[in-house]
Amino acid sequence: MAAKIISGTEVAKAIREELKVEVAELTAKHGIVPGLVTILVGEDPASQSYVAAKNKSAHALGIHSEQVTLDVGTSEADLLALVNKYNNDPKINGILVQLPLPKHINEANVLYAIDPDKDVDGFHPVNVGKMVLGEQCFLPCTPHGILELLTRSGVETSGAEVVVVGRSNIVGKPIANLMLQKRPAGNATVTLCHTRTKDMAAHCRRADILIAAVGVPKMITADMVKEGVAVIDVGVNRIGMSASGKAILAGDVDFETVKEKASCITPVPGGVGPMTITMLMKNTVQAAKMAAKLI
Ligand code: L34
C-alpha cells in the first residue's frame, strides 16, 4: 500500500483561515487584538527560524506580536524580569520562551514564572496538571497539532493501539496522556517507548498509530511498522546543508520506505512543524478570549 501523505501545511492553512476570521470578529465586535510575545535567548539558527515563523504567522492573522531576542549571555534574573514585565502587560495575552535555553539558565524556573493564563505553550505545571485531569487549559502546541492532524485526516483513534516513541515533556509525555483520555482524538490504548524500552521494534509493529518524537533521523524503519499503520513523524532533524546553504531536514521516520507500508504518513518538512506554529496561534486567541472573559 502506498500511503496517503498527510499535509500539515494544508491542514495548518485551513485552521489559520478559521482563526483569521475569528480574530477579525474579535477585533470588530469587541475591540480585542490578541497579543503574543516570543522571547529567544541566543542565536541558534533553528530556533531563530521557528520564532520568525511564529511572528510571521501571528502578523498574518491580525495578532499583535512582539519578538524579543536576547544575548546568549543574558542572566536568568534578567530573563525572569522580562517575563514578569510581560505578565503585567495587558496588550500581551501569550508569552512564549523558545526552548532550549542556554545551559546557565534553569528552564523550569523560567517556565514556572510565566503567568499560567498567558502560558500559550502549555508548559506551566498548572496547565500540565489541568491537561492530565482533562480540564480546560492550554494544550501544548505540538501534541495539540497532532490531535488536529489525526482528526482532520479521519484517523480513528478510539480503541486504536497507539505507540509513542520518545518521552519528552514537550511531545512524548503529553501526547501519550492526551490520547488515552476520553476526548476527541483520544480513547486509544497507549504504549510509550523510550531509550530503556526492551525490543522497541516489537512494540512499534503493534501500532495502528505510530508517533515518533525522538530526534534521531530515520530511526523508524519499514521493518518496524505493520502494514496499514498511520504514522506521525514529529522529528525535525538537520542532517546536512544543501549547496545553496539551506538545511536538509529528515524526520525520525525513514519516510521513503515506511510510506510503502503505511496507510497515511506525515512528511518532514510540511507535517507536524507547521501545525505546532498554528496551534500556538489558536492558543493565543484562546488566551485573549479568556482575558476578555469571553470564555
Ligand atoms: N517554547 N520551544 C517552545 N515552544 C515550542 O513549541 C517549541 N518548539 C520545539 C522547539 N522549541 C520550542 C517548536 O516551536 C520545536 N518547534 C518547532 C516549530 C516549528 C517547526 C519545527 C519545530 C517547523 O515549522 N518546521 C518546519 C521546517 C522548518 C525548517 O525549515 O527548519 C516543518 O515543515 O517541519
Side-chain angles (χ1 to χ4, degrees), residues 164-168 171-173 175 192-195 200 211-214:
V164 177
V165 187
R167 56 177 155 184
S168 70
V171 186
K173 276 194 243 173
I175 193 63
L192 201 156
C193 298
H194 48 75
T195 41
M200 171 105 60
I211 301 176
V214 272

Side-chain angles (χ1 to χ4, degrees), residues 178-200:
L178 285 162
M179 292 197 73
L180 59 79
Q181 291 185 28
K182 213 176 259 184
R183 67 181 317 284
N187 292 308
T189 303
V190 179
T191 303
L192 201 156
C193 298
H194 48 75
T195 41
R196 300 295 176 93
T197 297
K198 282 191 241 165
D199 202 352
M200 171 105 60

Side-chain angles (χ1 to χ4, degrees), residues 5-259:
I5 311 298
I6 300 177
S7 170
T9 307
E10 288 302 312
V11 176
K13 202 165 137 198
I15 297 172
R16 287 204 304 272
E17 290 302 321
E18 295 165 16
L19 285 172
K20 200 169 169 180
V21 173
E22 193 175 355
V23 172
E25 220 174 81
L26 276 176
T27 306
K29 278 200 197 142
H30 303 279
I32 295 168
V33 179
L36 170 71
V37 62
T38 60
I39 303 172
L40 172 63
V41 185
E43 294 178 350
D44 175 66
S47 297
Q48 280 176 335
S49 90
Y50 302 154
V51 164
K54 289 171 184 184
N55 285 278
K56 187 171 158 215
S57 179
H59 189 75
L61 297 184
I63 293 173
H64 164 77
S65 85
E66 298 181 23
Q67 186 171 355
V68 182
T69 308
L70 300 173
D71 187 86
V72 69
T74 300
S75 70
E76 185 176 311
D78 284 352
L79 180 56
L80 289 172
L82 186 71
V83 166
N84 201 40
K85 183 186 105 171
Y86 284 111
N87 279 342
N88 294 303
D89 182 342
K91 289 192 305 299
I92 295 300
N93 304 110
I95 302 172
L96 179 136
V97 179
Q98 188 70 18
L99 302 178
L101 287 167
K103 293 269 179 292
H104 67 277
I105 297 178
N106 180 313
E107 219 158 79
N109 286 350
V110 176
L111 297 180
Y112 292 18
I114 297 171
D115 179 344
D117 290 338
K118 297 192 178 189
D119 171 37
V120 283
D121 257 328
F123 292 164
H124 190 286
V126 165
N127 285 315
V128 176
K130 286 183 176 177
M131 178 198 75
V132 171
L133 293 169
E135 288 177 28
Q136 167 78 19
C137 63
F138 295 113
L139 296 183
C141 300
T142 302
H144 198 179
I146 295 170
L147 298 181
E148 286 285 341
L149 270 183
L150 291 170
T151 303
R152 293 184 189 232
S153 316
V155 176
E156 180 59 77
T157 61
S158 184
E161 293 284 342
V162 171
V163 176
V164 177
V165 187
R167 56 177 155 184
S168 70
N169 288 336
I170 301 192
V171 186
K173 276 194 243 173
I175 193 63
N177 189 274
L178 285 162
M179 292 197 73
L180 59 79
Q181 291 185 28
K182 213 176 259 184
R183 67 181 317 284
N187 292 308
T189 303
V190 179
T191 303
L192 201 156
C193 298
H194 48 75
T195 41
R196 300 295 176 93
T197 297
K198 282 191 241 165
D199 202 352
M200 171 105 60
H203 286 288
C204 290
R205 276 192 288 269
R206 287 197 350 264
D208 300 315
I209 302 170
L210 181 65
I211 301 176
V214 272
V216 178
K218 305 184 188 187
M219 191 190 99
I220 306 294
T221 47
D223 59 303
M224 293 171 74
V225 303
K226 85 173 171 195
E227 197 72 40
V229 64
V231 179
I232 303 289
D233 188 353
V234 185
V236 183
N237 307 294
R238 286 167 152 67
I239 58 166
M241 198 79 99
S242 74
S244 61
K246 267 191 75 180
I248 300 169
L249 304 179
D252 292 344
V253 176
D254 185 23
F255 182 82
E256 290 307 324
T257 60
V258 171
K259 83 174 194 311

